[in-house]
Amino acid sequence: MNHLLEFLLRQGDNALVLGQRMSEWCGHGPALEEDIALANTALDLIGQTQLWLGYAAEVEGAGRDANDLAFMRDAYDFRNLLMLEVPNADFGRTLMRQFLFDAFQVPWLQALTDSADPRVAEIAAKSVKEAMYHLDRSTSTVIALGDGTAESNGFMQRALDYLWPYAAEVFAEDATDFAMAEVGVAPLPSSLRGQWKKTLQATLQEAHLTMPEGEFAHKGGRIGVRHTEHLGHLLATMQVLPRSYPDASW
Amino acid sequence: MTIANSISEEQVWDWLEGVPDPEIPVISVVDLGVIRAVSVDSDAVEIKITPTYSGCPAMSIISLDIQAALAKVGVTNLTLKTQISPPWTTDWLSEKGKAQLKEYGIAPPQPSGGPESCPHCESRHVEKVSQFGSTPCKALWRCSDCLEPFDYFKCI
């Protein structure tokens, strides 16, 4: 197995699948400002996807490009976290997921700026600025809604309870993680778990939300052995145009 | 129009000064800070461009506009390269560019993270409406005195 390729697909697929989920809100946001914010976040993530998958395609060396990887792979080829592919449901769950992801992604990308692979370090340095902005916003929205009305608090607590069994998948390490740590491309995700949990505790406390107990995490997304039923539907929507008209250009 | 086979780098920078940002046409791509390097080797021109935000859709338009502008003055041997490191920062906006933004009604970026004053009436009583705005590089603010909404160029 080409561990670097595997690693890059995980980074790119996380950004792509979450970006696609966020873009589903375009035109449906609860207020115009929120609609714009969700679409902007999606745009940043799709931009980051182009960088990660562009490099992945080069490493693969099979004559494919970032678009081929995004549009011509099937669900079992994807390496994203399961949490990112589950449906948006409501605004509360969308923002809670964004927060749980951003809280990991910011220290993760910060660590990757020191990667032994200069391309990884460059992409991380570019992406981390955007991720910090996302974290700032998802944190303040989680607090505003958690510390809002009884109704909004209920939405956020239910969102957290629903997402919790998915949230820690990123810490389920495998041979690729160990290989990347060995050569200094990336730290072990588990080395950031303490920091992640601290960010969560501080924010959830301020939001009057209760962090669920338990360390159980659904696994399979980032290693590609088991996705939820939702990923296929997401890909069907995302990929239909380039698959139906493979040579289309505009 | 044909040009002498010796183009200077200064000349290319001058030409680029005439290429406006497609979304914010009051400032040039040079004042936006996205042109990172220009090199000339006889008639071959190479320009390094850095994206503002990784997904900014204006970047492909900027490349097209640069190609068109330089083709007009006879530069055909042009290579555009994307460079993402070091990442773009609003520190690279020129002072002239910041002044032009303000003139246009967009509050320029401030290290404090928010606009200094309303670009319309200069009031310092301003409030954030949304952390995001009409393009990836802007946020939406409002003046509590003249009540006008305005764009703020995000500081990154």
Side-chain angles (χ1 to χ4, degrees):
Chain A
M1 180 186 282
N2 183 335
H3 288 301
L4 179 60
L5 173 60
E6 189 75 9
F7 167 82
L8 294 169
L9 288 175
R10 291 175 184 184
Q11 311 315 310
D13 289 347
N14 278 348
L16 177 58
V17 169
L18 184 58
Q20 174 69 15
R21 278 289 182 227
M22 293 304 264
S23 72
E24 289 171 8
W25 276 102
C26 192
H28 302 278
L32 181 60
E33 290 78 10
E34 295 307 328
D35 199 291
I36 291 171
L38 292 159
N40 268 283
T41 306
L43 192 61
D44 286 343
L45 289 165
I46 302 297
Q48 294 168 19
T49 304
Q50 289 175 332
L51 300 174
W52 288 119
L53 292 187
Y55 185 28
E58 284 176 41
V59 169
E60 185 190 42
R64 300 204 279 184
D65 62 15
N67 277 339
D68 295 327
L69 292 179
F71 295 124
M72 299 301 172
R73 284 182 303 147
D74 291 313
Y76 44 78
D77 300 319
F78 273 72
R79 298 291 183 264
N80 59 282
L81 298 168
L82 298 173
M83 179 175 78
L84 306 180
E85 70 195 39
V86 298
N88 290 330
D90 53 63
F91 183 67
R93 194 201 280 178
T94 302
L95 265 296
M96 180 59 81
R97 166 172 55 199
Q98 187 70 35
F99 167 69
L100 293 173
F101 178 71
D102 294 340
F104 173 78
Q105 196 68 355
V106 167
W108 175 246
L109 290 172
Q110 275 165 344
L112 292 185
T113 61
D114 291 327
S115 174
D117 183 317
R119 287 284 295 280
V120 169
E122 278 185 6
I123 298 171
K126 182 72 197 163
S127 307
V128 73
K129 289 183 161 202
E130 296 164 1
M132 286 167 76
Y133 205 81
H134 298 170
L135 177 61
D136 195 36
R137 178 185 138 73
S138 58
T139 301
S140 57
T141 314
V142 164
I143 292 171
L145 292 174
D147 186 22
T149 63
E151 190 184 6
S152 72
N153 177 276
F155 265 94
M156 296 313 275
Q157 187 64 54
R158 283 194 298 279
L160 180 58
D161 293 345
Y162 177 87
L163 292 168
W164 191 250
Y166 295 103
E169 183 192 355
V170 70
F171 305 115
E173 289 157 352
D174 70 344
T176 292
D177 295 301
F178 296 121
M180 291 296 97
E182 180 78 33
V183 293
V185 169
L188 285 175
S190 60
S191 66
L192 301 172
R193 188 165 191 159
Q195 193 180 346
W196 177 75
K197 209 151 183 195
K198 245 189 212 165
T199 307
L200 263 57
Q201 276 160 344
T203 302
L204 296 176
Q205 191 182 358
E206 208 177 326
H208 302 290
L209 297 169
T210 309
M211 191 188 287
E213 286 175 15
E215 305 266 301
F216 169 79
H218 289 291
K219 299 178 188 71
R222 73 195 294 266
I223 54 174
V225 300
R226 193 184 313 109
H227 281 281
T228 68
E229 68 189 280
H230 308 294
L231 181 64
H233 294 276
L234 178 148
L235 295 181
T237 306
M238 187 181 83
Q239 297 178 333
V240 63
L241 188 76
R243 288 209 183 210
S244 303
Y245 304 94
D247 298 320
S249 63
W250 58 86
Chain B
M1 174 179 169
T2 52
I3 46 170
N5 49 13
S6 59
I7 312 168
S8 71
E9 284 171 14
E10 289 72 25
Q11 178 67 73
V12 177
W13 279 103
D14 270 354
W15 287 326
L16 292 172
E17 283 275 4
V19 179
D21 176 283
E23 294 278 1
I24 313 166
V26 285
I27 66 170
S28 75
V29 291
V30 173
D31 288 313
L32 186 63
V34 297
I35 309 294
R36 301 318 301 159
V38 170
S39 58
V40 176
D41 184 5
S42 73
D43 72 331
V45 176
E46 184 183 290
I47 300 172
K48 286 192 174 145
I49 309 175
T50 196
T52 51
Y53 285 79
S54 58
C56 182
M59 296 318 295
S60 56
I61 311 291
I62 287 177
S63 296
L64 280 175
D65 287 351
I66 290 174
Q67 281 170 348
L70 293 195
K72 217 182 260 179
V73 290
V75 176
T76 47
N77 191 350
L78 172 66
T79 311
L80 294 178
K81 286 198 171 157
T82 303
Q83 176 182 309
I84 63 164
S85 177
W88 179 80
T89 158
T90 35
D91 294 347
W92 293 344
L93 277 172
S94 69
E95 289 307 314
K96 181 171 125 236
K98 287 180 194 168
Q100 286 165 329
L101 284 178
K102 194 173 174 199
E103 179 76 9
Y104 188 60
I106 299 172
Q110 300 293 338
S112 64
E116 192 177 63
S117 60
C118 167
H120 307 300
C121 74
E122 305 287 336
S123 162
R124 287 174 181 265
H125 301 135
V126 292
E127 58 183 344
K128 184 166 70 187
V129 177
S130 172
Q131 274 162 287
F132 290 90
S134 54
T135 65
C137 55
K138 289 179 289 186
L140 198 58
W141 285 64
R142 175 169 51 209
C143 173
S144 6
D145 284 335
C146 75
L147 304 179
E148 286 292 325
F150 63 89
D151 277 328
Y152 165 63
F153 209 95
K154 281 150 57 172
C155 186
I156 67 163

